[in-house]
Amino acid sequence: MSIKYFYAIAFARTANLSVTLSVCLSGVKFRGTSQSRQEQCAQFSEVSARLGRVNQRSEEGDIDPISPMQLPDSQWKRQAATPGSREHDPSSQQVTKRHRKLLKTSPVRRPHTNSSHSPSSSSSSRRLSDVQESRRRIIREVCGKYRSNISRTITPHHVSRIYVEDRHKLLYCEVPKAGCSNWKRILMVLAGVANSTREINHVAVHYDNHLKRLDSFDHQGISKRLETYTKVLFIREPMERLVSAFRDKFESPNSYYHPVFGKPIISKYRVNASQTALKTGSGVTFREFIHYLLDVHRPVGMDIHWEAANQLCSPCHLHYDFIGKVETLEEDANFLLRKIGAPENLTYPSFKDGNPKAARTSTQITQHYFSLLNASERQRAYDFYYMDYLMFNYSKPYKDLY
């Protein structure tokens, strides 16, 4: 494995900064940089120390056996930070202060719903465009601060979660538990696979959607689409997304997650587990699930349903054009659909996928689950998703967190 490739993969792992720091400190000299190893690594010390308390990757592979790919220079020239910006300022504040500032300030204006105000009006369009620029700017700031030295190399791993819709030149990165099922329904309608989102059931969405992923194309096909298509990412408050995943996979009957994840979780983290629990893997508690998530030596690997969004979609590499949030899901989604020229009668579906009878995971439900944990467990769970909180400008969910 080449030094260049190892460097690209190490820095591509957003939440795996402890690996990045260890690579920097190991004495490996990288070509093409004027910074010393100490300068390259200094900015990672705070985040690395924070994230060192939790396991950042599963043991099933910190480095993927895939060939690297270099995007054309034009892709990066267009996205380069403005000289003199905070991304390039060597005298900028320390990491800790910058973290706090990003968490405490919220330049994104939360829109007030006004049923009498047409979402297609110019004022609404300007407002939503301003929201998008704020979200992109915050991601640029965080990436410029903590990812200024990452390789520009994009590998198949970085685009493996992205669905392609060629008719409307749309690239959608799938973040599970953030409206992805209904987004795939929309992509199927846009691609002509279905006439209406209503006629697409759960099985068709996940196992028979006929949608292509970006990593299925060759080098040229990937590069062209990344440069010319609208790149879309929808995310959700990290703790709420985590609880939603737990409820869906462990509190309802599931022929995959109970035996594959439930059995090893119960075996390792439950004292005096019954033979029935050990055999079926049913009945995993939220605390047991959190112990698994935070364990450096997990008995079973990670899963996309609770993997950090910044790892799934690599926003520091791919420079998304549109960042939607579950908290403003329908407004964001319908604004995007109008921008890409989707049919006027196509809107984001409001129905619930998976377990339609169960209540949607809300802030209140999330708080209930986290009340079952002690302060240390809550802190470590927050640390695990810390970069998601920074990049996507979510406030700390609990006052006792630091």
Side-chain angles (χ1 to χ4, degrees), residues 1 18 20 50 107 143 153 157 180 233 243 273 326 332-333 344 363 375:
M1 180 178 296
S18 60
T20 301
R50 174 181 287 274
C143 292
T153 301
H157 165 78
C180 71
L233 168 65
V243 171
V326 167
D332 287 349
E344 286 294 329
T363 300

Side-chain angles (χ1 to χ4, degrees), residues 163-198:
Y163 285 98
V164 178
E165 203 290 287
D166 285 318
R167 285 186 174 183
H168 297 81
K169 296 186 175 182
L170 188 67
L171 299 179
Y172 166 72
C173 186
E174 175 190 29
V175 177
K177 314 312 298 181
C180 71
S181 296
N182 281 337
W183 259 114
K184 282 187 275 190
R185 286 185 171 93
I186 287 178
L187 294 178
M188 292 172 70
V189 173
L190 290 175
V193 177
N195 295 319
S196 168
T197 57
R198 284 283 178 185

Side-chain angles (χ1 to χ4, degrees), residues 11 32 53 119 156 190-191 214 275 291 293 320:
F11 278 84
R53 294 193 293 269
L190 290 175
L214 188 55
Q275 288 301 311
H291 286 179
L293 181 72
Y320 286 89

Side-chain angles (χ1 to χ4, degrees), residues 36-51:
S36 68
R37 185 174 69 251
Q38 290 78 12
E39 289 172 333
Q40 292 177 38
C41 300
Q43 63 180 300
F44 290 97
S45 59
E46 164 78 10
V47 187
S48 179
R50 174 181 287 274
L51 296 179

Side-chain angles (χ1 to χ4, degrees), residues 11 16-26 41-42 44-45 48-49:
F11 278 84
N16 198 14
L17 296 183
S18 60
V19 172
T20 301
L21 185 58
S22 68
V23 171
C24 292
L25 296 180
S26 66
C41 300
F44 290 97
S45 59
S48 179

Side-chain angles (χ1 to χ4, degrees), residues 59 74-75 113-114 118 127 139-140 147 153 170 209 221 236 247 272 274 283 299 323 328 345 348 352 360 362 371 397:
E59 295 179 0
S74 59
Q75 169 74 5
T113 301
N114 186 344
S118 172
R127 173 176 59 82
I139 292 177
R140 288 197 303 269
R147 299 287 186 276
T153 301
L170 188 67
N209 56 43
R236 185 177 188 176
R247 296 177 67 210
N272 297 325
S274 69
I323 300 97
T328 52
N345 63 345
Y348 188 84
K352 186 176 182 293
R360 292 182 185 272
S362 62
S371 70

